[in-house]
Every structure is written in structure tokens, then in C-alpha cells.
């Protein structure tokens, strides 16, 4: 698939999606969000792809937010539709059925931070900066930042970031659990690819069901979430990969998973 503002590369079962509007620090306008939606829907249905890495083009920005020039002229109704579109992109990442790793290679602000936190995990380059600066523009986060950020770093820390609009650096993002790891910029994609390769070597069905258990279970109370986990666990036993994984362990050999 060809896009104007997004680059898509698929190699060794890893899809790398690069937001590519360097002149606007990869900011998300409507066209880019529509392309992202089409891209993620395609990746969801592409069985060749097992892990997705998201990043931004260049060395300065992951994504510097929703496009402010685009948003300036919005009305309440078109603003609501824009927020719904952004939220649909984030929800599609969560519902992709395969792990998505954010390679945060610079500014991840506003919609860019919201994009990163819709991913399953985040690795950051040492120059990365995170923030929800919307209050500086007289608005609030609209791509689910007020909802996902407190779920990841807690209500107090999320409130501080959202109410002050302050940016934090990669070291602070690591300290508060917003990112899994901080690496030098030239090693960021390699580090993400190494995690992706480890995930790909495991049972794809089990990886998929564990993503669903984590993502959907976090929206339930503990009793319902545990029941849901038990159902996902049970579903693994319908897959040849479960038989192969357990047989391989008992036969002391490496499993040959088929992804079924
Ligand atoms: N939208 C549109 N254009 C943007 C942009 C954005 N979010 N962020 C940067 N750009 C553009 C700048 O306008 C500039 O364009 P020109 O060269 O044509 O002037 C270009 O990218 C380079 O940016 P700067 O010159 O500002 O670069 P800098 O190094 O001085 O500063 C920055 C970098 C701190 C990231 C700064 O660009 C900045 O603060 N950007 C805005 C960040 C922001 O407020 N994001 C939140 C948007 S609101 C949102 O996302 C709402 C939501 O939840 C849905």
C-alpha cells in the first residue's frame, strides 16, 4: 500500500510504520490519520506480519502532536469528529491482534504521546521528549490521552503532565514507567527489532491471546478480567501450537510453531 504521509516497510515478519511529515515534525492532520487507519487495518489482516514498530521520520520527532494548523479552523462538531478519528486510530492499534512497539525517536507530544501510549510498549531514544501540551493551546488531549495516560503512569502523574503541559525527558519517562527502555538514537530501531524477533520466536496464537487478555482485561473489574483470562487460556488449547509447545518442552527441543 502507498501513502503520502506514512511509510510502510515489511521485513522478517516485522512491519515498520513511519509517520513521515518531517516539515511539520510528523504532526497528525486528518489525511495522516485516515492513512494510519487504512495502514493499521491492512496490517491487522496481513498474516505475514507478526509485530509492528511505529516511529517518526528523521531524528527530531516521533510525532509532535495533532496538526495545530489543521485544528485551528475546526468547529465543535468537526473537532469532535477529528477526536473520534484519532481515537479510532488508537483503538485500531490496541485491537490489532499483534504487538505494537513504539520507537519514540524524539518529540512525542499531544497526539504523538497519545499514539505512543496506545502501543503495547515504548522504547525511547535518549533525545526523546514526552508531554501533553494541549493546555498551552486552550484545549485538552483529544486522542484518549486523559484516559490512557492515567492507566499507564497513574492519576497523579498523568494529571501533572496534562494540567501543566510540561515536557519530560526520556530519563524521567523511564523513571515513571512511561517507557520500557532508553537507548542511544542510532540503536533505537535495532533494540525494537530485537524485541520483535524474540516475540516472533514464540507462539503467535499465545502472543495474540495474551495481548487481548492484557488490553481488554484492563478495562474490566478483577473478577471479570480473571474469568476472561481463563477463557483466553482455554482457547490456547484449541491451537496446534499449544500441543507443539508442550510436546517440544517435554522432548527437550525447540518448538516449531505454525501460528495456528
Ligand atoms: N502541528 C503543526 N505543525 C507543527 C506541530 C504541530 N503539532 N509541531 C511542529 N510543527 C511545525 C512548526 O510549525 C514548524 O513549521 P514551520 O517550519 O513551517 O514554521 C516545524 O514543525 C518545526 O517546528 P518548530 O520550528 O516549532 O521546532 P522547534 O524545535 O522550535 O520546537 C516543538 C519543537 C517543541 C516540538 C514545537 O514544534 C512544538 O511545541 N510543537 C507543538 C507541540 C504541541 O503543542 N503538540 C500538541 C498538539 S495538540 C494535540 O495533539 C491535541 C490532541 O490531543 C488531539
Amino acid at each position: 500500500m502507498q501513502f503520502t504521509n506514512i511509510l510502510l516497510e515489511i521485513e522478517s515478519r516485522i512491519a515498520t510504520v513511519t509517520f513521515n511529515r518531517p516539515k511539520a515534525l510528523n504532526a497528525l492532520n486528518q489525511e495522516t490519520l485516515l492513512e494510519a487507519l487504512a495502514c493499521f487495518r491492512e496490517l491487522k489482516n496481513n498474516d505475514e506480519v507478526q509485530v509492528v514498530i511505529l516511529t517518526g521520520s528523521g531524528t527530531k520527532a516521533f510525532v509532535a502532536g495533532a496538526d495545530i494548523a489543521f485544528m485551528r479552523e475546526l468547529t465543535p462538531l468537526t473537532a469532535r469528529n477529528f477526536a473520534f478519528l484519532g481515537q479510532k486510530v488508537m483503538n485500531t492499534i490496541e485491537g490489532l491482534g499483534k504487538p505494537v512497539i513504539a520507537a519514540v525517536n524524539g518529540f512525542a507530544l499531544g497526539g504523538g504521546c497519545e499514539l505512543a501510549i496506545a502501543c503495547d510498549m515504548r522504547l525511547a531514544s535518549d533525545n526523546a521528549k514526552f508531554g501533553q501540551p494541549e493546555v498551552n493551546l486552550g484545549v485538552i488531549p483529544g486522542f484518549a490521552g486523559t484516559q490512557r495516560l492515567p492507566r499507564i503512569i497513574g492519576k497523579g502523574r498523568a494529571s501533572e503532565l496534562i494540567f501543566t503541559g510540561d515536557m519530560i525527558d526520556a530519563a524521567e519517562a523511564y523513571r515513571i514507567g512511561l517507557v520500557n527502555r532508553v537507548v542511544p538514537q542510532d540503536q533505537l530501531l535495532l533494540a525494537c527489532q530485537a524485541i520483535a524477533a524474540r516475540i516472533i520466536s514464540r507462539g503467535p496464537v499465545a502472543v495474540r491471546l495474551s495481548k487481548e487478555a492484557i488490553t481488554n482485561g484492563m478495562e474490566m473489574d478483577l473478577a471479570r478480567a480473571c474469568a476472561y483470562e481463563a477463557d483466553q487460556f482455554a482457547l490456547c488449547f484449541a491451537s496446534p501450537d499449544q500441543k507443539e509447545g508442550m510436546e517440544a518442552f517435554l522432548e527437550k527441543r525447540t518448538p516449531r510453531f505454525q501460528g495456528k
Side-chain angles (χ1 to χ4, degrees):
M1 265 179 134
Q2 285 285 323
F3 302 106
T4 309
N5 300 322
I6 284 178
L7 305 173
L8 172 61
E9 262 181 282
I10 300 176
E11 205 187 316
S12 310
R13 298 193 160 270
I14 303 170
T16 305
V17 176
T18 306
F19 285 80
N20 186 35
R21 289 186 71 214
K23 283 189 188 138
L25 300 185
N26 308 321
L28 303 170
N29 59 5
Q30 182 161 277
E31 184 189 35
T32 308
L33 288 171
L34 287 168
E35 287 188 352
L37 196 57
C39 177
F40 294 133
R41 283 180 174 160
E42 138 81 16
L43 292 176
K44 179 176 179 158
N45 296 320
N46 185 337
D47 291 339
E48 194 201 322
V49 172
Q50 278 181 251
V51 178
V52 177
I53 297 173
L54 290 196
T55 194
S57 74
T59 52
K60 186 169 170 181
F62 173 68
V63 167
D67 190 305
I68 298 166
F70 174 81
M71 286 187 296
R72 185 173 52 175
E73 304 298 338
L74 294 178
T75 66
L77 277 182
T78 55
R80 190 168 65 159
N81 285 340
F82 186 59
F84 280 149
L85 174 61
Q87 290 174 8
K88 206 185 275 182
V89 171
M90 311 309 160
N91 292 341
T92 306
I93 292 171
E94 272 194 349
L96 209 67
K98 38 198 108 179
V100 183
I101 304 171
V104 182
N105 57 320
F107 290 110
L109 302 175
C113 188
E114 291 167 305
L115 183 66
I117 60 178
C119 298
D120 298 295
M121 61 189 92
R122 287 150 291 285
L123 270 66
S125 57
D126 41 16
N127 66 321
K129 294 245 176 0
F130 294 79
Q132 295 288 160
E134 286 87 349
V135 288
N136 293 317
L137 302 165
V139 294
I140 72 166
F143 296 167
T146 62
Q147 303 310 305
R148 285 202 179 91
L149 200 56
R151 284 165 166 79
I152 293 174
I153 60 171
K155 182 172 178 251
R157 288 194 169 112
S159 299
E160 185 177 339
L161 280 178
I162 292 171
F163 298 166
T164 64
D166 287 345
M167 276 192 241
I168 56 170
D169 63 15
E172 176 67 358
Y174 176 71
R175 195 185 70 78
I176 65 175
L178 184 53
V179 301
N180 293 41
R181 212 177 290 174
V182 182
V183 295
Q185 177 147 80
D186 61 356
Q187 288 164 38
L188 180 62
L189 275 183
L190 284 175
C192 292
Q193 285 158 357
I195 295 181
R198 287 177 66 73
I199 295 171
I200 288 167
S201 72
R202 313 307 189 209
V205 174
V207 170
R208 179 194 181 114
L209 293 177
S210 54
K211 171 162 178 164
E212 288 174 6
I214 293 168
T215 309
N216 299 331
M218 281 183 76
E219 302 312 311
M220 301 173 190
D221 62 62
L222 186 61
R224 280 183 54 221
C226 288
Y228 178 65
E229 184 194 71
D231 285 345
Q232 297 290 93
F233 177 74
L235 206 50
C236 297
F237 288 76
S239 110
D241 281 355
Q242 170 268 324
K243 312 234 164 356
E244 169 62 11
M246 294 190 180
E247 268 168 33
F249 175 82
L250 295 171
E251 290 166 13
K252 301 189 190 308
R253 60 176 173 82
T254 307
R256 288 181 296 270
F257 291 120
Q258 301 168 47
K260 289 196 246 170

